[in-house]
Structure formats: C-alpha cells, structure tokens
C-alpha cells in the first residue's frame, strides 16, 4: 500500500503558487481519505493541442501535475483532441476557427514528446484523449448532457456574457465547450482538476456535472497565468515575450537572465519544484544575480540536460557578464531621418525629457538629438520591426555602448557617432548618417 506524506505537508506543496482552491476543505478531506486508504487521488489537467510547441507558460499546469505526482498521486495528462476541434472560447471576443483532425493530431504528437520532460513517463503518467468517450456518444447522449445546463448558466460566463451584451455572435458549438470539458471529469472520475484562472468556469462545470452523474465533485485548483519576459502581459509567442521549451539552451538561459528580479521569484514559484520556505530563504540570503543563474540553470536542465545547463551558464558569462566583444563585428549604416524622434528638435542633456536616456559617453555634451530605440533596432536589422524592437526593449535585452537601455529614446550627438548595439547575443556597430552617403561594409 502506498505511503503518503502527512496531509499538511502535502497541502503546503500543492498550494505553492496556486491562485485558488475550490474548496480547500474538500481537498484536505480527500487527502485524508487517500492517506488512510492508501489510494492515490486522480488528478487531471486538459490541454487542447491548438499550437505545435509549448512555452514555459504552458508548463505551469504541468509543474503542478508533477507536484501531485511527487506526492504519489495518479495524474492524467488529457489531450483534448475532441474539444480542440470545437475551439476553447475562453478569453475570445470572436468565434475561434476550429482545427482539423489532422492539425490536432500533429500538434498532439508534439505535445506528447515535450510533456515528459516534466512529468514521469508512462505508466506513471496516464495519457488520455477525450475522443475516447466523445466518439462513442450518440446525438441523443449530447442532448441529455446539454439538458443538465441552462442557457442562463452559460451566459454567466464572462466571455459569453460580454459578447451577448455587445450583440456579437456566439456559435452553438462554443456553448458545447464547457459541457465537454466538464464531462471529461465525469469520464475520468477526477478527484482534482487543474487549470488556469481563466478556465474557472469550465472547471466548475466539471464539479456540477459530476454531481448530476452521481459522483463526488472534484476539487478545482487554478494556477496563475504566467507573465512573459516583459513582466506585464501573459506569456505568448504572438507577443514576442515567450520562452519556448524547445529553444536552444543558451537562448533559454539568456532570456531567464533578462527578467526582472521581482519576476524571478514568481518564476521560481510557478516553474520549479523549490519549496516556498527555501525560496524565502534564498530571498534573504542569496544575491539576486546568483539566484537568477540558479533559476536559469534549473529551467535549462529541465528541458535539455545538466551538462547543457552548465555550458549555457558558462557561455552566458563569457558573452554577457564578462562583456567580451567579438573579434569581428558587423557594421551597418542607418539614416537619422528614419530613427529620429518627433521633429528631431535638439534636447538639453542636463535636463532631458523623462523618456530619453542619456548614455554615459554623452555626458560632456550640452545638446543632443533624440532617437527612437525601437526604430534604431529595426533599421539596424536587430529587430524584425519597430514593434518587435519595442518588445525587446521592454524585455531589457537592449544594450548600447555597454549600458542597458530602459527608456524608449536615447540622446545622440550631432553629428552622430557610431553606436555599439547589442540585442541578446547579437552585436552590431551602427553608424548613423545625417545625409545620403556610401554605406559601411561588413568586416
């Protein structure tokens, strides 16, 4: 018979980083019964394979599943191949285009190759597809399932309510999504279901449907939505603030090192197995730089290897901490007219506007020209566009002449001098010309 840790000890680990537990008293009761009987809890989290690759934001739920697994409970990684064809309406202001079965299965195979970097491989982790039960259901079964929920209940969901009020279309198949996700819990007889805070309505639907089917209601545990590298918006590849778990070790390491010290502790909570008491001790006793290196190493190790983490740390220190400059640096020329801020009116360096950063090398000047950093990066080929340059700036990934740039504009002399610009691991010498002339050649 399995031996489980004391309930209070389990709860401390389970609650780490969680946003809400509905209801904690029920979870305690389930853990007590589990410990007395030796029967593990059945814990599930569902993932619709709507994109081919996972980023660290997706792994927050996987990490919490692992914590239940560490405690000896049975975890189910549920692939929503059926619900994925409906399309989750969560957070949507318009109907999401459904994916084809071929797209779903292609993405699902990629997910399965990635999740076992965190979860124990089968048979310790149970992997299921919700088409197992939905493909067997007849139309009459769906009608009976739909009869258990009212339209007014569905319209309580914020997404639907807002669209209804704004007279925006709500497709009938979208109303099926919460029902389908809720029924997953019935089919799996789940004791606990995990989801993001934005999934609360769907998770609670599972509790209600289980009661309708004569089961004990599952406990709902929600996890926060992870912020991206900018520390503000949720991690998303479309926003350019994500860290993909399949990215090269040095890319992952460098991106982690670029986050703020405050965000670092949130990443420790949501992306590692380090206990809260140990995190609090690190806050008191460790230098932030050392803590961040430790975090970067842990995350690289999770998705690559201990050796890859060690090497990434060494390479990062060589390239960034020791400030080594490549022997050969590409030189590019940009036109001042394309990067100048506003009218280009000179500014007083001793009293610059709040959005203009004065680099140390300009301190001897009296006046200078304000230049937009996002456009500078785009014109120099260090960003795909000005908006991409703005994202890199917010991520703290931009250095000019060895200084981290934190403001949207910098002051440059007239005539402009060349700037050594580094974005991540790429460095270029950027010459600024005031009038058309011959471009510099790369050396």
């Amino acid at each position: 018979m399995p031996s489980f840790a004391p309930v209070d000890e389990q709860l401390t680990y389970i609650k780490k980083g969680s946003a809400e537990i509905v209801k904690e008293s029920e979870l305690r009761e389930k853990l007590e019964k589990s410990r007395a009987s030796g029967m593990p809890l059945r814990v599930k989290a569902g993932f619709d394979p709507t994109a081919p690759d996972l980023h660290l934001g997706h792994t927050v739920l996987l990490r919490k599943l692992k914590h239940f697994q560490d405690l000896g409970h049975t975890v189910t990684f549920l692939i929503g191949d059926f619900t994925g064809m409906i399309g989750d309406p969560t957070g949507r202001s318009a109907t999401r285009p459904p994916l084809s079965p071929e797209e779903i299965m292609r993405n699902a195979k990629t997910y399965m190759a990635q999740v076992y970097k965190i979860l124990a491989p089968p048979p310790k982790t149970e992997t299921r597809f919700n088409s197992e039960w939905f493909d067997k259901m007849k139309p009459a079964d769906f009608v009976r399932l739909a009869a258990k929920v009212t339209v007014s209940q569905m319209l309580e969901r914020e997404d639907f309510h807002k669209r209804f009020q704004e007279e925006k279309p709500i497709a009938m198949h979208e109303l099926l999504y919460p029902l389908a996700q809720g029924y997953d819990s019935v089919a799996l007889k789940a004791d606990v279901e995990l989801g993001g805070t934005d999934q609360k309505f769907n998770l609670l639907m599972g509790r209600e449907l289980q009661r309708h089917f004569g089961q004990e209601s599952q406990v709902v545990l929600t996890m926060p939505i992870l912020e991206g590298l900018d520390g503000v918006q949720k991690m998303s590849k479309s926003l350019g603030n994500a860290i993909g778990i399949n990215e090269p070790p040095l890319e992952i390491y460098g991106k982690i090192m670029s986050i703020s010290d405050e965000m670092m502790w949130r990443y420790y909570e949501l992306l590692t197995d380090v206990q809260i008491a140990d995190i609090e001790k690190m806050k008191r006793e460790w230098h932030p730089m050392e803590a961040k290196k430790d975090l970067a190493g842990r995350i690289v190790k999770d998705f690559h290897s201990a050796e890859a983490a060690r090497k990434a740390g060494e390479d990062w220190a060589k390239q960034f901490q020791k400030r080594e400059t490549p022997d050969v640096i590409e030189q590019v020329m940009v036109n001042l007219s394309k990067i100048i801020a506003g009218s280009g009116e000179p500014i007083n360096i001793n009293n610059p506007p709040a959005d203009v950063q004065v680099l140390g090398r300009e301190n001897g000047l009296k006046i200078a020209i304000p230049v937009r950093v996002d456009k500078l990066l785009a014109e120099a080929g260090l960003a795909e566009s000005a908006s991409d340059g703005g994202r890199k700036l917010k991520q703290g990934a931009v250095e000019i002449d060895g200084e981290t740039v934190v403001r949207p504009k910098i002051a440059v002399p007239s005539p402009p001098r060349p700037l050594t610009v580094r974005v991540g691991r790429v460095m270029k010498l950027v010459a600024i010309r005031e009038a058309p002339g011959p471009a510099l050649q790369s050396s």
Side-chain angles (χ1 to χ4, degrees), residues 67-145:
H67 293 169
F68 277 97
Q69 198 168 59
D70 291 343
L71 294 168
H73 300 291
T74 301
V75 304
T76 299
F77 173 68
L78 177 63
I79 296 177
D81 57 331
F82 178 85
T83 45
M85 290 190 291
I86 299 175
D88 185 1
T90 299
R92 305 288 293 188
S93 59
T95 301
R96 182 192 296 272
L99 295 181
S100 69
E102 293 74 24
E103 290 173 308
I104 292 286
M105 289 312 299
R106 187 164 57 247
N107 294 345
K109 288 178 181 177
T110 306
Y111 274 32
M112 292 173 70
Q114 295 174 1
V115 298
Y116 298 121
K117 294 177 179 180
I118 294 179
L119 299 176
K124 287 190 174 182
T125 297
E126 181 182 77
T127 301
R128 304 287 293 273
F129 292 79
N130 59 11
S131 61
E132 292 176 33
W133 42 90
F134 285 119
D135 282 354
K136 296 173 184 175
M137 291 178 72
K138 299 176 181 178
D141 296 324
F142 270 105
V143 172
R144 283 190 287 269
L145 179 61

Coordinates of all heavy atoms in Angstrom, one line a residue, residues 67-145:
H67 N 3.8 18.0 -9.1 CA 3.8 18.1 -7.6 C 2.9 17.0 -7.1 O 3.2 16.4 -6.1 CB 3.4 19.5 -7.2 CG 4.5 20.5 -7.5 ND1 4.2 21.9 -7.4 CD2 5.7 20.4 -8.0 CE1 5.3 22.5 -7.8 NE2 6.2 21.7 -8.2
F68 N 1.7 16.8 -7.7 CA 0.8 15.8 -7.2 C 1.5 14.4 -7.4 O 1.4 13.5 -6.6 CB -0.5 15.8 -8.0 CG -1.5 16.8 -7.4 CD1 -1.6 18.1 -7.9 CD2 -2.3 16.5 -6.3 CE1 -2.5 19.0 -7.4 CE2 -3.2 17.3 -5.8 CZ -3.4 18.6 -6.3
Q69 N 2.2 14.3 -8.6 CA 2.9 13.0 -8.9 C 4.0 12.8 -7.9 O 4.1 11.6 -7.4 CB 3.4 13.1 -10.3 CG 3.8 11.8 -10.9 CD 4.1 12.0 -12.4 OE1 4.9 12.8 -12.8 NE2 3.3 11.3 -13.3
D70 N 4.7 13.8 -7.5 CA 5.8 13.7 -6.5 C 5.2 13.1 -5.2 O 5.9 12.4 -4.4 CB 6.5 15.0 -6.2 CG 7.3 15.5 -7.4 OD1 7.6 14.7 -8.3 OD2 7.6 16.7 -7.4
L71 N 4.0 13.5 -4.9 CA 3.3 13.1 -3.6 C 2.7 11.7 -3.7 O 2.1 11.3 -2.7 CB 2.2 14.2 -3.2 CG 2.8 15.6 -2.9 CD1 1.7 16.6 -2.8 CD2 3.6 15.5 -1.6
G72 N 2.8 11.1 -4.9 CA 2.3 9.7 -5.0 C 0.9 9.6 -5.6 O 0.4 8.5 -5.7
H73 N 0.3 10.7 -6.1 CA -1.0 10.6 -6.7 C -0.9 10.3 -8.2 O 0.1 10.5 -8.9 CB -1.8 11.9 -6.4 CG -1.9 12.2 -5.0 ND1 -2.7 11.4 -4.1 CD2 -1.3 13.1 -4.2 CE1 -2.6 11.8 -2.9 NE2 -1.8 12.9 -2.9
T74 N -2.1 9.8 -8.8 CA -2.1 9.5 -10.2 C -2.5 10.7 -11.0 O -3.5 11.3 -10.7 CB -3.2 8.4 -10.4 OG1 -2.9 7.2 -9.6 CG2 -3.3 8.0 -11.8
V75 N -1.7 11.0 -12.0 CA -2.0 12.2 -12.8 C -2.4 11.8 -14.2 O -1.8 10.8 -14.8 CB -0.8 13.2 -12.8 CG1 -0.5 13.6 -11.4 CG2 0.4 12.7 -13.5
T76 N -3.3 12.5 -14.8 CA -3.8 12.2 -16.1 C -3.5 13.5 -17.0 O -4.0 14.6 -16.7 CB -5.3 11.9 -16.2 OG1 -5.5 10.7 -15.4 CG2 -5.7 11.7 -17.6
F77 N -2.7 13.3 -18.0 CA -2.4 14.3 -19.0 C -3.4 14.1 -20.1 O -3.3 13.2 -20.9 CB -1.0 14.2 -19.5 CG -0.7 15.2 -20.6 CD1 -0.7 16.6 -20.4 CD2 -0.5 14.7 -21.9 CE1 -0.4 17.4 -21.5 CE2 -0.2 15.6 -23.0 CZ -0.2 16.9 -22.7
L78 N -4.5 15.0 -20.1 CA -5.6 14.8 -21.0 C -5.4 15.6 -22.3 O -5.3 16.9 -22.2 CB -6.9 15.1 -20.3 CG -8.1 15.0 -21.2 CD1 -8.4 13.6 -21.7 CD2 -9.4 15.6 -20.5
I79 N -5.3 15.0 -23.4 CA -5.2 15.7 -24.7 C -6.6 15.9 -25.3 O -7.3 14.9 -25.5 CB -4.3 15.0 -25.7 CG1 -2.9 14.9 -25.1 CG2 -4.3 15.7 -27.0 CD1 -1.9 14.1 -26.0
G80 N -7.0 17.2 -25.4 CA -8.4 17.5 -25.9 C -8.4 17.4 -27.4 O -8.6 18.4 -28.1
D81 N -8.3 16.2 -28.0 CA -8.4 16.1 -29.4 C -9.8 16.4 -29.9 O -10.0 16.9 -31.0 CB -7.8 14.8 -29.9 CG -8.5 13.6 -29.4 OD1 -9.0 13.7 -28.2 OD2 -8.6 12.5 -30.0
F82 N -10.8 16.1 -29.1 CA -12.2 16.4 -29.5 C -12.5 17.8 -29.2 O -13.0 18.5 -30.1 CB -13.1 15.4 -28.7 CG -14.6 15.7 -29.0 CD1 -15.2 15.1 -30.1 CD2 -15.3 16.6 -28.2 CE1 -16.5 15.4 -30.4 CE2 -16.7 16.9 -28.5 CZ -17.3 16.3 -29.6
T83 N -12.2 18.3 -28.0 CA -12.5 19.7 -27.6 C -11.7 20.7 -28.5 O -12.1 21.8 -28.7 CB -12.3 19.9 -26.1 OG1 -11.0 19.4 -25.8 CG2 -13.4 19.3 -25.3
G84 N -10.5 20.2 -28.9 CA -9.7 21.1 -29.7 C -10.4 21.4 -31.1 O -10.1 22.5 -31.7
M85 N -11.2 20.5 -31.5 CA -11.9 20.7 -32.8 C -13.1 21.7 -32.6 O -13.6 22.3 -33.6 CB -12.4 19.4 -33.4 CG -11.3 18.5 -33.9 SD -11.9 17.1 -34.8 CE -12.7 16.1 -33.5
I86 N -13.5 21.9 -31.3 CA -14.6 22.9 -31.0 C -13.9 24.2 -31.0 O -14.3 25.2 -31.6 CB -15.3 22.6 -29.7 CG1 -16.0 21.2 -29.8 CG2 -16.3 23.7 -29.4 CD1 -16.7 20.8 -28.5
G87 N -12.8 24.3 -30.2 CA -12.1 25.6 -30.0 C -12.6 26.2 -28.7 O -13.7 26.5 -28.5
D88 N -11.6 26.4 -27.8 CA -12.0 27.0 -26.5 C -12.3 28.4 -26.6 O -11.5 29.2 -27.1 CB -10.8 26.8 -25.5 CG -11.1 27.3 -24.1 OD1 -12.2 27.7 -23.9 OD2 -10.1 27.2 -23.3
P89 N -13.5 28.9 -26.2 CA -13.9 30.3 -26.3 C -13.3 31.2 -25.2 O -13.5 32.4 -25.2 CB -15.4 30.2 -26.3 CG -15.7 29.1 -25.4 CD -14.6 28.0 -25.7
T90 N -12.6 30.6 -24.3 CA -12.0 31.4 -23.2 C -11.2 32.6 -23.7 O -10.3 32.4 -24.4 CB -11.1 30.5 -22.3 OG1 -11.9 29.4 -21.7 CG2 -10.6 31.3 -21.1
G91 N -11.6 33.8 -23.2 CA -10.9 35.0 -23.5 C -11.1 35.5 -24.9 O -10.4 36.4 -25.4
R92 N -12.0 34.9 -25.6 CA -12.2 35.2 -27.0 C -13.3 36.2 -27.2 O -14.4 36.1 -26.6 CB -12.5 34.0 -27.9 CG -11.5 32.9 -27.8 CD -10.2 33.2 -28.5 NE -10.4 33.3 -29.9 CZ -9.4 33.4 -30.8 NH1 -8.2 33.4 -30.3 NH2 -9.6 33.5 -32.0
S93 N -13.1 37.2 -28.0 CA -14.2 38.2 -28.3 C -14.9 37.8 -29.6 O -15.8 38.5 -30.1 CB -13.6 39.6 -28.4 OG -12.6 39.7 -29.4
A94 N -14.4 36.8 -30.3 CA -15.0 36.3 -31.5 C -14.8 34.8 -31.6 O -14.0 34.2 -30.8 CB -14.3 36.9 -32.7
T95 N -15.6 34.1 -32.4 CA -15.5 32.7 -32.5 C -14.1 32.2 -33.0 O -13.6 32.8 -34.0 CB -16.6 32.2 -33.5 OG1 -17.9 32.6 -33.0 CG2 -16.6 30.7 -33.6
R96 N -13.6 31.2 -32.3 CA -12.3 30.7 -32.7 C -12.4 29.7 -33.9 O -13.3 28.8 -33.7 CB -11.6 30.0 -31.5 CG -10.2 29.4 -31.8 CD -9.8 28.5 -30.7 NE -9.6 29.2 -29.4 CZ -8.5 29.8 -29.0 NH1 -7.5 29.8 -29.8 NH2 -8.5 30.4 -27.9
P97 N -11.7 29.8 -34.9 CA -11.8 28.8 -36.0 C -11.4 27.4 -35.5 O -10.3 27.3 -35.0 CB -10.8 29.3 -37.1 CG -10.5 30.7 -36.7 CD -10.7 30.8 -35.2
P98 N -12.2 26.4 -35.7 CA -11.9 25.0 -35.3 C -10.7 24.5 -36.1 O -10.5 24.9 -37.2 CB -13.2 24.2 -35.6 CG -14.2 25.2 -35.7 CD -13.6 26.5 -36.3
L99 N -9.9 23.6 -35.4 CA -8.8 23.0 -36.1 C -9.3 21.7 -36.8 O -10.2 21.1 -36.3 CB -7.7 22.7 -35.2 CG -7.0 23.9 -34.5 CD1 -5.9 23.4 -33.6 CD2 -6.4 24.8 -35.6
S100 N -8.6 21.3 -37.8 CA -8.9 20.0 -38.4 C -8.4 18.8 -37.6 O -7.4 19.0 -36.8 CB -8.3 19.9 -39.8 OG -6.9 19.8 -39.7
P101 N -8.9 17.6 -37.7 CA -8.4 16.5 -37.0 C -6.9 16.2 -37.3 O -6.2 15.8 -36.4 CB -9.2 15.3 -37.5 CG -10.5 16.0 -38.0 CD -10.1 17.3 -38.5
E102 N -6.5 16.5 -38.5 CA -5.1 16.3 -38.9 C -4.2 17.3 -38.1 O -3.1 16.9 -37.6 CB -4.9 16.5 -40.4 CG -5.5 15.4 -41.3 CD -7.0 15.6 -41.3 OE1 -7.5 16.8 -41.1 OE2 -7.7 14.6 -41.6
E103 N -4.6 18.5 -38.0 CA -3.8 19.5 -37.2 C -3.8 19.2 -35.8 O -2.7 19.3 -35.1 CB -4.4 20.9 -37.4 CG -4.3 21.5 -38.8 CD -5.1 22.8 -38.9 OE1 -6.3 22.8 -38.6 OE2 -4.5 23.8 -39.3
I104 N -4.9 18.7 -35.2 CA -5.0 18.3 -33.8 C -4.0 17.2 -33.5 O -3.2 17.3 -32.6 CB -6.4 17.9 -33.5 CG1 -7.4 19.1 -33.5 CG2 -6.4 17.2 -32.1 CD1 -7.2 20.0 -32.4
M105 N -4.0 16.2 -34.4 CA -3.1 15.0 -34.1 C -1.6 15.3 -34.3 O -0.8 14.9 -33.5 CB -3.5 13.8 -35.0 CG -4.8 13.2 -34.6 SD -5.0 12.9 -32.8 CE -3.6 11.7 -32.6
R106 N -1.3 16.2 -35.3 CA 0.0 16.6 -35.5 C 0.6 17.4 -34.2 O 1.7 17.1 -33.8 CB 0.1 17.5 -36.7 CG 1.6 17.8 -37.1 CD 1.6 18.4 -38.6 NE 0.8 19.5 -38.8 CZ -0.3 19.5 -39.6 NH1 -0.7 18.4 -40.2 NH2 -1.1 20.6 -39.7
N107 N -0.3 18.3 -33.7 CA 0.1 19.0 -32.5 C 0.2 18.1 -31.3 O 1.1 18.3 -30.5 CB -0.8 20.2 -32.3 CG -0.8 21.2 -33.4 OD1 0.2 21.3 -34.2 ND2 -1.7 22.1 -33.4
A108 N -0.7 17.2 -31.2 CA -0.8 16.3 -30.0 C 0.5 15.5 -29.9 O 1.0 15.3 -28.8 CB -2.0 15.4 -30.1
K109 N 1.0 15.0 -31.1 CA 2.2 14.2 -31.0 C 3.4 15.1 -30.5 O 4.3 14.6 -29.8 CB 2.5 13.7 -32.4 CG 1.6 12.6 -32.9 CD 1.9 12.1 -34.3 CE 0.9 11.0 -34.7 NZ 1.2 10.6 -36.1
T110 N 3.4 16.3 -30.9 CA 4.5 17.2 -30.4 C 4.4 17.4 -28.9 O 5.4 17.4 -28.2 CB 4.4 18.6 -31.2 OG1 4.4 18.4 -32.6 CG2 5.6 19.5 -30.8
Y111 N 3.1 17.6 -28.5 CA 2.9 17.8 -27.0 C 3.4 16.6 -26.2 O 4.1 16.7 -25.2 CB 1.4 18.0 -26.7 CG 0.9 19.4 -26.9 CD1 1.4 20.3 -27.8 CD2 -0.2 19.8 -26.1 CE1 0.9 21.6 -27.9 CE2 -0.7 21.1 -26.2 CZ -0.1 22.0 -27.1 OH -0.6 23.2 -27.3
M112 N 3.1 15.4 -26.7 CA 3.5 14.2 -26.0 C 5.0 14.1 -25.9 O 5.5 13.5 -25.0 CB 2.8 13.0 -26.7 CG 1.3 12.9 -26.5 SD 0.5 11.6 -27.5 CE 1.1 10.2 -26.6
A113 N 5.7 14.6 -27.0 CA 7.1 14.5 -27.0 C 7.8 15.5 -26.0 O 8.9 15.3 -25.5 CB 7.7 14.7 -28.4
Q114 N 7.0 16.5 -25.6 CA 7.5 17.6 -24.8 C 7.2 17.4 -23.3 O 8.0 17.8 -22.4 CB 7.0 18.9 -25.3 CG 7.6 19.3 -26.7 CD 7.0 20.5 -27.2 OE1 6.1 21.2 -26.6 NE2 7.3 20.9 -28.5
V115 N 5.9 16.9 -23.0 CA 5.5 17.0 -21.6 C 6.2 16.1 -20.7 O 6.4 16.3 -19.5 CB 4.0 16.7 -21.5 CG1 3.1 17.7 -22.2 CG2 3.7 15.2 -22.0
Y116 N 6.8 15.0 -21.2 CA 7.5 14.1 -20.4 C 8.9 14.6 -20.0 O 9.7 13.9 -19.3 CB 7.6 12.7 -21.0 CG 6.2 12.1 -21.3 CD1 5.8 11.8 -22.5 CD2 5.3 11.9 -20.2 CE1 4.5 11.3 -22.7 CE2 4.1 11.5 -20.4 CZ 3.7 11.1 -21.7 OH 2.4 10.6 -21.9
K117 N 9.2 15.8 -20.4 CA 10.4 16.4 -19.8 C 10.1 16.9 -18.4 O 11.1 17.2 -17.6 CB 10.8 17.6 -20.7 CG 11.3 17.2 -22.1 CD 11.7 18.3 -23.0 CE 12.2 17.9 -24.4 NZ 12.5 19.0 -25.2
I118 N 8.9 17.0 -18.1 CA 8.5 17.4 -16.7 C 7.8 16.3 -16.0 O 8.2 15.9 -14.8 CB 7.5 18.6 -16.7 CG1 8.2 19.9 -17.3 CG2 6.9 19.0 -15.3 CD1 7.4 21.1 -17.4
L119 N 6.8 15.6 -16.6 CA 6.1 14.5 -16.0 C 6.9 13.2 -16.1 O 7.6 13.1 -17.1 CB 4.7 14.4 -16.6 CG 3.8 15.6 -16.4 CD1 2.5 15.3 -17.2 CD2 3.5 15.9 -14.9
A120 N 6.7 12.3 -15.2 CA 7.3 11.0 -15.3 C 6.6 10.3 -16.6 O 5.4 10.5 -16.8 CB 7.0 10.2 -14.1
P121 N 7.4 9.5 -17.3 CA 6.9 8.9 -18.5 C 5.8 7.8 -18.1 O 5.8 7.3 -16.9 CB 8.1 8.3 -19.2 CG 9.1 8.1 -18.1 CD 8.8 9.2 -17.1
P122 N 5.0 7.3 -19.1 CA 4.1 6.2 -18.8 C 4.8 5.0 -18.3 O 6.0 4.8 -18.7 CB 3.4 6.0 -20.1 CG 3.6 7.3 -20.9 CD 4.9 7.8 -20.4
P123 N 4.3 4.2 -17.4 CA 2.9 4.3 -16.9 C 2.6 5.2 -15.8 O 1.4 5.3 -15.3 CB 2.6 2.8 -16.5 CG 3.9 2.4 -16.0 CD 5.0 3.1 -16.8
K124 N 3.6 5.9 -15.2 CA 3.4 6.8 -14.1 C 2.5 7.9 -14.4 O 1.7 8.4 -13.6 CB 4.7 7.3 -13.5 CG 5.5 6.2 -12.8 CD 6.7 6.9 -12.0 CE 7.4 5.8 -11.2 NZ 8.5 6.4 -10.4
T125 N 2.6 8.4 -15.7 CA 1.6 9.4 -16.2 C 0.7 8.7 -17.1 O 1.1 8.0 -18.0 CB 2.4 10.5 -16.9 OG1 3.3 11.2 -16.0 CG2 1.4 11.6 -17.5
E126 N -0.6 9.0 -16.8 CA -1.6 8.4 -17.7 C -2.0 9.5 -18.8 O -2.3 10.6 -18.5 CB -2.9 8.1 -16.9 CG -4.0 7.5 -17.6 CD -5.3 7.3 -16.8 OE1 -6.0 8.3 -16.4 OE2 -5.5 6.1 -16.4
T127 N -1.8 9.1 -20.0 CA -2.1 10.0 -21.1 C -3.4 9.5 -21.8 O -3.5 8.3 -22.2 CB -1.0 10.0 -22.2 OG1 0.2 10.5 -21.6 CG2 -1.4 11.0 -23.3
R128 N -4.4 10.4 -21.9 CA -5.7 10.1 -22.5 C -6.1 11.1 -23.5 O -5.6 12.2 -23.5 CB -6.8 10.0 -21.4 CG -6.5 9.0 -20.2 CD -6.6 7.6 -20.6 NE -8.0 7.2 -20.9 CZ -8.9 6.8 -20.0 NH1 -8.5 6.7 -18.7 NH2 -10.1 6.5 -20.3
F129 N -7.0 10.7 -24.4 CA -7.6 11.6 -25.4 C -9.1 11.6 -25.2 O -9.7 10.5 -25.0 CB -7.3 11.0 -26.8 CG -5.8 11.1 -27.2 CD1 -4.9 10.1 -26.8 CD2 -5.4 12.1 -28.1 CE1 -3.6 10.2 -27.2 CE2 -4.1 12.1 -28.5 CZ -3.2 11.2 -28.0
N130 N -9.7 12.8 -25.2 CA -11.1 12.8 -24.8 C -12.0 12.3 -26.0 O -13.2 12.2 -25.8 CB -11.6 14.2 -24.3 CG -11.4 15.3 -25.2 OD1 -11.0 15.2 -26.4 ND2 -11.5 16.5 -24.6
S131 N -11.4 12.1 -27.1 CA -12.2 11.4 -28.2 C -12.5 10.0 -27.8 O -13.4 9.4 -28.4 CB -11.4 11.5 -29.5 OG -10.2 10.7 -29.4
E132 N -11.8 9.4 -26.8 CA -12.1 8.1 -26.4 C -13.6 7.9 -26.0 O -14.2 6.9 -26.3 CB -11.2 7.7 -25.2 CG -9.8 7.5 -25.5 CD -9.0 7.3 -24.2 OE1 -9.6 6.6 -23.3 OE2 -7.9 7.7 -24.1
W133 N -14.1 8.9 -25.3 CA -15.5 8.8 -24.9 C -16.5 9.6 -25.8 O -17.6 9.2 -26.0 CB -15.7 9.2 -23.4 CG -14.9 10.4 -23.0 CD1 -15.3 11.7 -23.0 CD2 -13.6 10.4 -22.4 NE1 -14.3 12.5 -22.5 CE2 -13.3 11.7 -22.1 CE3 -12.7 9.4 -22.1 CZ2 -12.0 12.1 -21.5 CZ3 -11.5 9.7 -21.5 CH2 -11.2 11.0 -21.2
F134 N -16.0 10.7 -26.3 CA -16.9 11.5 -27.1 C -17.2 10.8 -28.5 O -18.3 11.0 -29.0 CB -16.3 12.9 -27.3 CG -16.5 13.8 -26.1 CD1 -15.3 14.3 -25.5 CD2 -17.7 14.1 -25.6 CE1 -15.4 15.1 -24.4 CE2 -17.8 14.9 -24.4 CZ -16.7 15.4 -23.8
D135 N -16.3 10.1 -29.0 CA -16.5 9.4 -30.3 C -17.6 8.3 -30.1 O -18.2 7.9 -31.1 CB -15.3 8.8 -30.9 CG -14.4 9.9 -31.5 OD1 -14.8 11.0 -31.6 OD2 -13.2 9.5 -31.9
K136 N -17.8 7.9 -28.9 CA -18.8 6.8 -28.7 C -20.2 7.4 -28.3 O -21.1 6.6 -28.3 CB -18.3 5.9 -27.5 CG -17.0 5.2 -27.8 CD -16.5 4.5 -26.5 CE -15.2 3.8 -26.8 NZ -14.6 3.2 -25.5
M137 N -20.2 8.7 -28.1 CA -21.5 9.3 -27.7 C -22.4 9.5 -28.9 O -21.9 9.9 -30.0 CB -21.3 10.6 -27.0 CG -20.7 10.4 -25.6 SD -20.4 12.0 -24.7 CE -22.1 12.5 -24.4
K138 N -23.7 9.2 -28.8 CA -24.6 9.4 -29.9 C -25.3 10.8 -29.7 O -25.2 11.4 -28.6 CB -25.7 8.3 -29.8 CG -25.2 6.9 -30.0 CD -26.3 5.9 -29.8 CE -25.7 4.4 -30.0 NZ -26.8 3.4 -29.7
P139 N -25.9 11.3 -30.8 CA -26.6 12.6 -30.6 C -27.5 12.7 -29.4 O -27.5 13.7 -28.8 CB -27.3 12.7 -32.0 CG -26.5 11.9 -32.9 CD -26.0 10.8 -32.1
A140 N -28.2 11.6 -29.1 CA -29.1 11.6 -28.0 C -28.4 11.8 -26.7 O -28.9 12.4 -25.8 CB -29.9 10.3 -28.0
D141 N -27.1 11.3 -26.6 CA -26.3 11.4 -25.4 C -26.0 12.9 -25.2 O -26.0 13.4 -24.1 CB -25.1 10.6 -25.5 CG -25.4 9.1 -25.6 OD1 -26.3 8.7 -24.9 OD2 -24.6 8.4 -26.3
F142 N -25.6 13.6 -26.3 CA -25.3 15.0 -26.2 C -26.5 15.8 -25.8 O -26.4 16.8 -25.0 CB -24.8 15.5 -27.6 CG -23.3 15.4 -27.7 CD1 -22.7 14.4 -28.5 CD2 -22.4 16.3 -27.0 CE1 -21.3 14.3 -28.6 CE2 -21.0 16.1 -27.1 CZ -20.5 15.2 -27.9
V143 N -27.7 15.4 -26.3 CA -28.9 16.2 -25.9 C -29.1 16.0 -24.4 O -29.5 17.0 -23.7 CB -30.1 15.6 -26.7 CG1 -31.4 16.2 -26.2 CG2 -30.0 16.0 -28.2
R144 N -29.0 14.8 -23.9 CA -29.2 14.6 -22.5 C -28.1 15.3 -21.7 O -28.4 15.8 -20.6 CB -29.1 13.1 -22.2 CG -30.4 12.3 -22.5 CD -30.4 10.9 -22.0 NE -29.5 10.0 -22.8 CZ -29.8 9.3 -23.8 NH1 -31.1 9.4 -24.3 NH2 -29.0 8.6 -24.5
L145 N -26.9 15.4 -22.2 CA -25.9 16.1 -21.5 C -26.2 17.6 -21.5 O -26.1 18.3 -20.4 CB -24.5 15.9 -22.2 CG -23.3 16.6 -21.6 CD1 -23.1 16.2 -20.1 CD2 -22.0 16.4 -22.4

